[in-house]
Amino acid sequence: NAGVTQTPKFRILKIGQSMTLQCTQDMNHNYMYWYRQDPGMGLKLIYYSVGAGITDKGEVPNGYNVSRSTTEDFPLRLELAAPSQTSVYFCATLLGDRGFFGANVLTFGAGSRLTVL
Amino acid sequence: AQKITQTQPGMFVQEKEAVTLDCTYDTSDQSYGLFWYKQPSSGEMIFLIYQGSYDEQNATEGRYSLNFQKARKSTNLVISASQLGDSAMYFCAMRGYTGTASKLTFGTGTRLQVTL
């Protein structure tokens, strides 16, 4: 049981290049999220998905795209990389919205560190 | 809209002492959840403790406890008997419902340094 797997762990991009950050989970969780963490800051939500075929924007979606064709995978695509996208990216999953009873806790991947030069 | 505020960018505490990390929040939701995560230098996000908005008692998990004051909209994390391994970033987060799903909103974090 690997949990949430993110690849790559590190990547350096040139301005204008494109790339996809991969996120795979084996917990059969419905909800998946992409967050970015800028140096010395908290996490900000980029996109999220409540199930296969359904995605929605978070707080900072500009410059990113996502897709959710299966329950397991939730890739994040950067089309035209910019220095402002230098950050650590976290994918996270949640079993489902069981309400506020109990700690329905996000499970995070290990993160992907992206540098755009 | 939800907002989490952590006003302490950095804190120092001596080993074996207790330390309190502050967190205030703002939300119009009647029901919500409050979380604390630890991020060591290795970078992973580790869940520590949870408090539901309708929980009458303060949450405790081992050396971690919350001082939850609903009227003041604050949920401070208390770490007792600090250890060197507690040195890390600590994030307060709130879970509310917006649109189609619940999302976690994070504060900017507090960097805790435990000294000998």
Side-chain angles (χ1 to χ4, degrees):
Chain A
N1 190 343
V4 181
T5 302
Q6 291 184 235
T7 56
K9 286 186 167 47
F10 303 94
R11 183 73 186 268
I12 298 175
L13 281 182
K14 294 182 179 179
I15 294 173
Q17 286 186 320
S18 300
M19 77 159 298
T20 299
L21 299 176
Q22 302 290 346
C23 177
T24 299
Q25 54 109 351
D26 62 1
M27 299 175 289
N28 203 33
H29 284 182
N30 298 323
Y31 287 58
M32 297 187 74
Y33 305 81
W34 273 107
Y35 285 89
R36 61 176 286 174
Q37 182 181 26
D38 297 333
M41 301 296 287
L43 280 69
K44 293 187 177 179
L45 182 63
I46 306 171
Y47 270 96
Y48 66 98
S49 168
V50 302
I54 307 170
T55 62
D56 207 346
K57 296 178 181 178
E59 185 183 356
V60 289
N62 292 344
Y64 306 94
N65 278 302
V66 293
S67 59
R68 184 93 182 273
S69 57
T70 66
T71 299
E72 294 77 20
D73 299 307
F74 189 40
L76 177 72
R77 182 149 182 89
L78 286 72
E79 290 294 349
L80 292 170
S84 61
Q85 293 177 305
T86 293
S87 192
V88 178
Y89 292 83
F90 287 97
C91 178
T93 71
L94 191 68
L95 176 58
D97 270 353
R98 296 179 295 183
F100 293 103
F101 302 104
N104 201 353
V105 178
L106 259 67
T107 301
F108 283 88
S112 297
R113 184 177 296 275
L114 176 66
T115 302
V116 182
L117 299 174
Chain B
Q2 299 167 42
K3 186 176 181 181
I4 295 283
T5 303
Q6 295 180 256
T7 57
Q8 305 156 312
M11 291 281 287
F12 286 89
V13 64
Q14 275 195 319
E15 197 180 19
K16 300 178 186 176
E17 298 293 312
V19 63
T20 299
L21 306 184
D22 296 339
C23 174
T24 59
Y25 60 90
D26 191 22
T27 181
S28 56
D29 290 344
Q30 293 299 310
S31 298
Y32 47 89
L34 297 159
F35 299 77
W36 279 88
Y37 280 84
K38 173 184 178 181
Q39 187 179 43
S41 57
S42 54
E44 71 265 37
M45 296 292 289
I46 302 169
F47 165 71
L48 294 178
I49 192 167
Y50 162 84
Q51 178 86 47
S53 60
Y54 286 108
D55 292 341
E56 294 186 351
Q57 293 198 335
N58 288 335
T60 61
E61 285 287 348
R63 293 187 299 111
Y64 304 110
S65 61
L66 292 182
N67 181 7
F68 178 49
Q69 299 185 49
K70 191 172 182 177
R72 293 189 174 186
K73 292 189 175 180
S74 74
T75 177
N76 299 335
L77 175 69
V78 180
I79 305 174
S80 62
S82 297
Q83 302 171 357
L84 294 177
D86 293 334
S87 295
M89 282 289 288
Y90 289 82
F91 291 99
C92 179
M94 176 167 61
R95 173 172 172 252
Y97 282 90
T98 306
T100 59
S102 64
K103 305 160 199 171
L104 233 56
T105 300
F106 285 83
T108 53
T110 296
R111 182 172 297 281
L112 177 66
Q113 185 67 45
V114 181
T115 61
L116 292 170

